[in-house]
Amino acid sequence: MRPPLRIVIVGGGTAGWMTAAAFSSVLKPEQREIHLIESSEIGIVGVGEATLPHIRFFNKRIGIDERELMAKTQATFKLGIEFVDWARLGDSYIHPFGAYGSRFSGLPFHQYWLRQQRRGDAAPIEDYSLAIVAARMGKFTLPSEDPSEVLSTFGYAFQFDASLYAAYLRVFSEARGVKRTDAKIVDVQLRGTDGWIESVKLDDGSLVTGDLFIDCSGFRGLLIEQALKTGYDEWTRWLPCDRAMAVPCENVGPLTPYTRATAREAGWQWRIPLQHRTGNGYVYSSQFISDDEAAARLLSRLDGKALADPRPLRFTAGRRRKTWNRNCVAIGLAGGFLEPLESTSIHLIQVAITTLLDYITGSNEFDPRIVEAYNRWIEMEYDRVRDFLILHYYATERNDTPIWNYCRTMDVPDSLRHKMELFRQRARVVTYKDGLFLEPSWLAVYFGQRVTPTAYDPLADALPPAELTSKLQAVRDQVHGAVAAMPRHEDFLAQYCPAQKPAMAGKS
Amino acid sequence: MNKPVSHVAVVGADSAAWIAACALRRAFRHRELAVTVVDVAEASKPRVRWTLPSQRGMHAMLGINESEFMAATGATYRLASEHRGWQGEGSRFMHAHGELGSELSGTPFYKYLLNEAIEGRAVNGDDFSVATLAARQGRFARPMGEGDALTASFTYGFHLEEAAYGEFLRQHAAKLGIKRAGGTVVDVELDGSGAVAALRLANGERLTADLYVDCSGPQAAVIGRLAANDRDDWTQWLPCDRMLSGVMPAHSSAPALTQTTATASGWLWRAPTAAHTHGGYVYCSRFLDDDGARRALSTALSGIADLRVDSLRAGRRRNPWVRNCIAIGGAAIELEPLVGAELHAAQLGISALIELFPAAAVSAVEAAEYNRITAEYGDGLRDFTLAHYRLGAARAGAFWDAVRAAPPPPRLAHKIDLFSANGRIHMYDFESFEETDWAWLFLGARLVPSALELQIRARVAQIRPEQVAPLREYVQRLVLSMPPHMEFVRRSGARSAQT
């Protein structure tokens, strides 16, 4: 029997508590000893109030009750993200959590849709996606598990208050034996022989030793960078935004079951509706707008009354060269930063945690072969998300402000250029087995941002025209029929996971 | 050259060429794509092939009835390969086309076997696989049922004679309206852009098409003219460069099994068809000359006759699609037949070509994507082949030292490293062989990881002997209910003759 693995988590934001919750739940008490150190004096960034459908697997794996989580975090449902003004001012499209139609006769649905469009007889592609139609109409219900039903063709995620999420996970983790210390770390002690982290020193002078140190300290990377000097690969040349202003406001109107990202003069603005308030933020490039102006613009474009002063954030898009270095794993912002345009922050935390849990053997002598395999995996995940994000900036026709002129004409990675070219030539989406964003996601952004195919797959011509027409019509009818029968998002929330009104609105 | 593709010329006349022609014709029958097959001189065709289960899917796509195919070509079934001596004299292992046991405690069964091995208890995985046990006992039946049922836990490939299979496909192609040119290719005419303009045939004919599919094998009769030295050489890892083959009388109770035996300078094979027992020797000329190989093969397989020697050079073309020419099969990738993937490699090319069939004859982005995908698949096939040589205990001898001298390609090294450290099998985006295939190989080579993933170990620890023993018994009972393999082959042929 091995002694328990001593895991020290530095930082108690979303990343820290997600890690604590997962490790304490998945590993048996005799397999681990988990100690989380956070300082109540250091604010948390509270990254990512909007999530991706994968979070449901995470919840299931660690045993979180979805309804309870939603009620405790003022959560709403999310069927996708609406992108406004990205390719041209006035444009709007939804990146749905779900498919457009379904494959038939060996081809993806959109190939047939393109053929029908050429024949002048297709409705907009959005009409064939249940997630989009439901989102636009403010409807929601849980998906069906019967793959023959149209109600099985979508997934969902949550929009929640990240501070409440961390608080919820703290209770969850502490109930499973995670020890929490409220302290600041003043020093990191490295082992002389190999430079592994031996202990961290707290502001009360005490030392915390461990086998595995998980750096969830945020952008600064207290362990991974300040102590271990791991290095960082910057992606600012493709993702120029380096600051954000965040501010909550009062809810106005019905709660949309989707997040909105609106392209702005120097970046983009998010809008995330929760049960008790709406989260907003302006992600921008400091090259193109001043902090004061960004704050003023943000405040002028809120649905309702602002509930706090705008909070500034700074970051650099990129990834730590190794997110696992010696006996330290950086998770969350300490590992890398990709702007929350596609709600990937919490997802990348989740990937890091589950991959780490999948790879470790329980030994405290971390086999370098495992460390390297882990790093390759995480690198692949970040790189694939990066290409997808760049697409949003690059595939634009906007020339109204300098940031869009820069992005429209920038040099993008060859891998992305190839993907776009293949789509333009024959509407083919480059797919991969691992990593985020499958075919419907790429389709949504290509179509939504006017990357228009000049041809479709020649195999789509094999279907007789009458059959083509009836198949497409059937999908559309099924989608609209199913959505018509769905409850309104707010009504569904009220019976599924009503949250308590916060005691002091806006001070969450 | 921007007109739509209406005519494809397929160069070569082995089974891969006929499959390519039939598949293209069938896929684009709605636009009446014209396909012409043109032979090449001096094509070297293998005498026997053993194939992967993907051949079944290709037959379905081509509209080929399996019983008819079996009866017409004298093919037999193939449930597994048995590899002897690869990890030293006396070593042997099976690689079956099927599951290794079935999932217990939410964990693949091979993880249980790995844990037993780590704990020092030897458990033979073969006893838990319908396919291996049936192959050992000379039995066969087609899989039945769905999902997790043991009766659906395996699949199969074939042993087939190239000449008979090629002839069967030629007749099938004729039924599909595929034309055959009257002469062999003697020259390739290029246009100013470096694309193929026409093929000159021995009968004086000048054949033009929109796309040229080069299935001429290693001679790369067409694409070799467009790009001469565009090759990733694999001989540092796979140095075998000679292949001797011959035939013996048929064995009336042959199992649905391909056998390979490692020797001091390469490996021998034995593969049954209805009419013959085929045998051969793949070896490296640096360590063994042809006469020595003949003697060794005749000693190992007594009665082997009609010996023929071919050469091979492991590697793949970096850009199998150049301009309006697509190399498929041996013209694109050369690999010794150890894992039976030659026709499979051709199929990957054919499927990718159908998926990326260009609107116009010259289309750069489709070619780039085709080259990217087939390269990954090709490297995966190389790695799986190479793994047989490199996993587990090393055989002694100069040839085997040479085989293991170069560090393995990084993607294989990564896979072996992670498995050795925690028993996890990393799968890349495009791989023909699946996690279970790699598990057969790792377990077969007795590569025992130093530890198991913590969470898997926790689940494996919950597996009770009373869950394992019934699985073994059920597999045994199921196999005993299967008819002898050759009887199944004969009955299947008889059924086809009646219809």
Side-chain angles (χ1 to χ4, degrees):
Chain A
M1 201 70 202
R2 277 204 175 102
L5 194 64
R6 295 170 305 152
I7 300 164
V8 179
I9 300 171
V10 172
T14 312
W17 285 114
M18 280 178 79
T19 307
F23 274 76
S24 64
S25 166
V26 171
L27 302 185
K28 297 195 177 75
E30 66 273 18
Q31 291 174 326
R32 45 67 177 175
E33 233 175 68
I34 305 170
H35 190 168
L36 186 145
I37 302 157
E38 67 173 334
S39 168
S40 45
E41 289 170 38
I42 301 173
I44 70 164
V45 171
V47 61
E49 293 175 314
T51 60
L52 294 176
H54 309 68
I55 195 171
R56 291 169 52 216
F57 296 110
F58 184 77
N59 288 344
K60 201 172 163 198
R61 184 161 178 188
I62 73 174
I64 284 179
D65 180 81
E66 174 174 302
R67 294 171 81 151
E68 186 188 73
L69 169 74
M70 290 187 72
K72 291 271 170 69
T73 59
Q74 300 284 348
T76 58
F77 287 102
K78 178 181 174 193
L79 289 167
I81 305 171
E82 184 192 16
F83 289 89
V84 176
D85 293 344
W86 281 83
R88 288 182 196 168
L89 288 167
D91 279 2
S92 155
Y93 69 93
I94 288 183
H95 166 193
F97 295 153
Y100 298 94
S102 54
R103 276 182 90 88
F104 58 96
S105 303
L107 285 186
F109 176 85
H110 74 274
Q111 296 287 1
Y112 295 106
W113 176 79
L114 280 168
R115 178 177 162 211
Q116 189 73 340
Q117 196 197 35
R118 290 294 140 88
R119 302 172 69 227
D121 196 19
I125 187 99
E126 290 203 340
D127 263 15
Y128 302 88
S129 160
L130 189 132
I132 298 180
V133 173
R136 293 265 187 219
M137 294 177 70
K139 301 284 198 90
F140 186 82
T141 193
L142 299 175
S144 159
E145 283 175 17
D146 177 355
S148 67
E149 285 185 38
V150 70
L151 274 177
S152 71
T153 62
F154 72 102
Y156 65 91
F158 317 112
Q159 308 174 119
F160 55 49
D161 182 319
S163 319
L164 296 176
Y165 182 52
Y168 176 82
L169 293 176
R170 177 179 160 190
V171 174
F172 179 96
S173 307
E174 287 181 326
R176 283 159 184 77
V178 172
K179 180 178 168 195
R180 172 185 179 268
T181 300
D182 189 342
K184 274 190 185 156
I185 287 167
V186 293
D187 196 18
V188 180
Q189 330 241 297
L190 305 185
R191 205 152 72 186
T193 46
D194 51 14
W196 284 32
I197 299 174
E198 200 162 50
S199 62
V200 290
K201 189 171 174 190
L202 308 186
D203 50 4
D204 66 1
S206 62
L207 291 177
V208 177
T209 56
D211 300 312
L212 180 63
F213 288 81
I214 302 195
D215 187 348
C216 299
S217 65
F219 298 122
R220 60 201 178 123
L222 191 63
L223 308 182
I224 195 83
E225 194 56 50
Q226 293 183 8
L228 299 183
K229 317 272 182 244
T230 303
Y232 194 79
D233 285 329
E234 267 195 41
W235 294 334
T236 318
R237 63 189 178 285
W238 297 310
L239 298 168
C241 289
D242 57 355
R243 294 191 189 182
M245 280 298 164
V247 68
C249 75
E250 284 178 353
N251 280 340
V252 176
L255 297 177
T256 56
Y258 57 87
T259 299
R260 180 180 298 145
T262 307
R264 296 297 192 199
E265 58 284 314
W268 60 278
Q269 181 177 337
W270 78 73
R271 174 189 175 278
I272 301 170
L274 310 179
Q275 291 192 36
H276 62 319
R277 62 168 174 80
T278 296
N280 306 276
Y282 188 178
V283 175
Y284 57 94
S285 164
S286 59
Q287 267 182 283
F288 297 108
I289 196 170
S290 70
D291 295 345
D292 288 348
E293 197 185 346
R297 297 269 188 163
L298 175 62
L299 288 171
S300 73
R301 291 158 173 161
L302 302 178
D303 288 3
K305 199 175 98 199
L307 295 170
D309 290 331
R311 204 153 52 91
L313 304 165
R314 290 178 178 215
F315 46 80
T316 307
R319 164 176 52 66
R320 203 69 62 192
R321 288 210 178 103
K322 295 176 191 168
T323 53
W324 188 344
N325 189 5
R326 301 176 207 171
N327 62 337
C328 172
V329 180
I331 294 182
L333 302 176
F337 182 85
L338 284 165
E339 56 189 82
L341 184 57
E342 284 283 0
S343 315
T344 49
S345 310
I346 285 182
H347 178 74
L348 288 167
I349 293 170
Q350 174 184 339
V351 165
I353 293 169
T354 51
T355 307
L356 188 58
L357 275 168
D358 284 345
Y359 278 38
I360 55 171
T361 63
S363 161
N364 61 4
E365 292 161 27
F366 303 105
D367 191 318
R369 298 171 297 188
I370 295 176
V371 173
E372 281 163 26
Y374 174 90
N375 283 331
R376 277 193 298 273
W377 185 281
I378 300 299
E379 224 170 86
M380 177 273 295
E381 293 274 2
Y382 270 89
D383 293 0
R384 287 183 170 170
V385 171
R386 176 200 68 192
D387 274 15
F388 188 60
L389 294 186
I390 297 171
L391 172 65
H392 295 67
Y393 284 95
Y394 180 58
T396 184
E397 297 172 10
R398 285 185 62 163
N399 56 6
D400 51 301
T401 53
I403 193 172
W404 298 108
N405 284 333
Y406 171 79
C407 293
R408 199 185 63 248
T409 56
M410 68 185 164
D411 208 12
V412 298
D414 287 344
S415 50
L416 176 60
R417 192 181 301 282
H418 172 71
K419 288 184 182 103
M420 292 176 70
E421 187 58 19
L422 201 59
F423 190 75
R424 278 207 187 90
Q425 291 293 324
R426 56 187 299 123
R428 182 180 165 95
V429 175
V430 171
T431 52
Y432 32 73
K433 180 175 72 69
D434 303 312
L436 197 53
F437 299 122
L438 306 177
E439 189 171 73
S441 300
W442 288 89
L443 282 176
V445 181
Y446 285 141
F447 283 129
Q449 298 202 198
R450 300 174 181 270
V451 181
T452 308
T454 54
Y456 53 84
D457 191 317
L459 289 171
D461 283 330
L463 205 66
E467 207 178 316
L468 179 67
T469 304
S470 72
K471 285 237 186 206
L472 261 71
Q473 189 58 46
V475 171
R476 209 173 145 215
D477 290 349
Q478 279 178 1
V479 164
H480 286 266
V483 172
M486 281 163 75
R488 290 176 59 237
H489 177 222
E490 284 178 304
D491 295 342
F492 191 88
L493 280 174
Q495 59 89 15
Y496 189 77
C497 55
Q500 290 192 340
K501 288 264 177 284
M504 290 191 298
K507 294 285 184 252
S508 55
Chain B
M1 283 235 335
N2 238 10
K3 58 175 184 150
V5 177
S6 61
H7 181 205
V8 178
V10 177
V11 176
D14 68 347
S15 49
W18 290 114
I19 291 171
C22 293
L24 287 167
R25 176 81 177 164
R26 292 260 306 181
F28 297 101
R29 57 186 181 273
H30 59 277
R31 56 196 267 186
E32 288 166 9
L33 180 73
V35 180
T36 306
V37 173
V38 198
D39 213 340
V40 278
E42 290 162 31
S44 77
K45 298 173 193 172
R47 204 174 281 175
V48 67
R49 296 182 190 270
W50 49 100
T51 81
L52 298 180
S54 58
Q55 199 71 14
R56 297 174 63 198
M58 183 50 85
H59 284 169
M61 189 174 149
L62 300 186
I64 288 173
N65 172 288
E66 187 171 297
S67 296
E68 275 174 37
F69 144 75
M70 298 285 298
T73 63
T76 64
Y77 296 101
R78 176 179 132 75
L79 288 168
S81 286
E82 183 183 39
H83 299 295
R84 298 178 176 215
W86 288 78
Q87 281 70 38
E89 287 306 329
S91 71
R92 65 179 201 173
F93 70 95
M94 300 280 270
H95 166 210
H97 294 312
E99 292 302 322
L100 217 178
S102 66
E103 204 168 89
L104 289 181
S105 234
T107 309
F109 192 73
Y110 80 83
K111 299 282 190 186
Y112 165 78
L113 295 172
L114 288 179
N115 193 52
E116 294 296 293
I118 292 170
E119 306 276 331
R121 293 183 292 266
V123 178
N124 190 349
D126 296 357
D127 293 346
F128 299 90
S129 156
V130 176
T132 38
L133 212 59
R136 271 208 197 293
Q137 297 185 11
R139 296 173 184 277
F140 182 82
R142 291 209 185 94
M144 290 184 299
E146 285 177 9
D148 297 338
L150 270 181
T151 51
S153 68
F154 65 98
T155 175
Y156 56 88
F158 305 104
H159 299 104
L160 43 86
E161 293 188 358
E162 168 61 28
Y165 189 45
E167 174 57 20
F168 175 79
L169 291 168
R170 186 190 65 74
Q171 290 173 22
H172 190 72
K175 278 185 260 172
L176 294 175
I178 291 166
K179 287 177 292 236
R180 187 169 190 182
T184 55
V185 174
V186 288
D187 197 14
V188 178
E189 229 177 83
L190 304 185
D191 69 13
S193 74
V196 180
L199 302 174
R200 296 242 176 231
L201 309 189
N203 63 356
E205 208 183 311
R206 181 174 179 275
L207 183 88
T208 60
D210 302 312
L211 278 187
Y212 298 83
V213 176
D214 186 348
C215 294
S216 65
Q219 62 177 297
V222 185
I223 196 147
R225 295 290 307 280
L226 275 67
N229 296 311
D230 183 37
R231 207 165 178 278
D232 269 350
D233 186 89
W234 294 341
T235 54
Q236 57 171 322
W237 298 300
L238 295 167
C240 287
D241 56 355
R242 305 292 280 171
M243 188 159 78
L244 189 62
S245 58
V247 290
M248 292 168 284
H251 197 314
S252 62
S253 58
L257 181 69
T258 319
Q259 284 167 304
T260 79
T261 307
T263 72
S265 322
W267 55 277
L268 304 164
W269 84 73
R270 190 185 164 98
T273 59
H276 301 102
T277 301
H278 290 263
Y281 195 177
V282 172
Y283 54 97
C284 178
S285 62
R286 268 193 287 146
F287 299 93
L288 183 67
D289 63 21
D290 293 346
D291 285 342
R294 275 194 192 90
R295 281 193 301 276
L297 183 60
S298 301
T299 310
L301 303 176
S302 62
I304 194 159
D306 201 9
L307 293 183
R308 191 182 97 190
V309 69
D310 292 290
S311 57
L312 75 105
R313 196 167 136 241
R316 73 166 167 80
R317 199 158 267 284
R318 285 203 192 98
N319 298 288
W321 184 335
V322 179
R323 311 290 302 172
N324 59 347
C325 178
I326 299 102
I328 283 178
I333 175 170
E334 264 191 275
L335 197 58
E336 57 188 66
L338 180 62
V339 300
E342 306 89 285
L343 282 181
H344 174 79
Q347 281 172 37
L348 292 171
I350 294 163
S351 303
L353 175 56
I354 290 170
E355 275 190 36
L356 291 163
F357 201 73
V362 174
S363 188
V365 72
E366 277 97 347
E369 181 67 354
Y370 180 93
N371 293 337
R372 184 182 78 88
I373 292 173
T374 54
E376 281 207 38
Y377 273 123
D379 289 351
L381 294 175
R382 172 202 64 197
D383 289 352
F384 196 72
T385 304
L386 181 56
H388 290 71
Y389 285 94
R390 304 200 66 126
L391 296 180
R395 264 190 83 102
F399 166 75
W400 292 89
D401 290 347
V403 161
R404 293 206 186 201
R411 42 176 285 153
L412 176 59
H414 292 161
K415 190 172 271 200
I416 298 173
D417 279 353
L418 184 61
F419 178 84
S420 307
N422 69 3
R424 196 174 179 82
I425 299 176
H426 177 81
M427 297 302 296
Y428 295 96
D429 279 337
F430 300 98
E431 285 200 76
S432 301
F433 288 98
E434 296 170 3
E435 182 176 340
T436 307
D437 295 298
W438 283 97
W440 278 111
L441 199 50
F442 283 129
L443 279 160
R446 301 191 192 283
L447 183 61
V448 179
S450 36
L452 211 52
E453 303 122 292
L454 182 60
Q455 289 197 72
I456 296 286
R457 203 178 63 223
R459 270 183 261 158
V460 165
Q462 292 166 8
I463 297 175
R464 300 263 146 288
E466 52 271 30
Q467 285 173 279
V468 177
L471 180 61
R472 189 196 324 242
E473 284 157 27
Y474 186 34
V475 167
Q476 277 170 357
R477 276 207 310 278
L478 198 62
V479 169
L480 278 174
S481 72
M482 294 176 162
H485 169 232
M486 290 311 288
E487 191 185 312
F488 194 100
V489 170
R490 280 189 294 274
R491 271 198 274 156
S492 165
R495 268 199 303 279
S496 135
Q498 284 160 13
T499 54

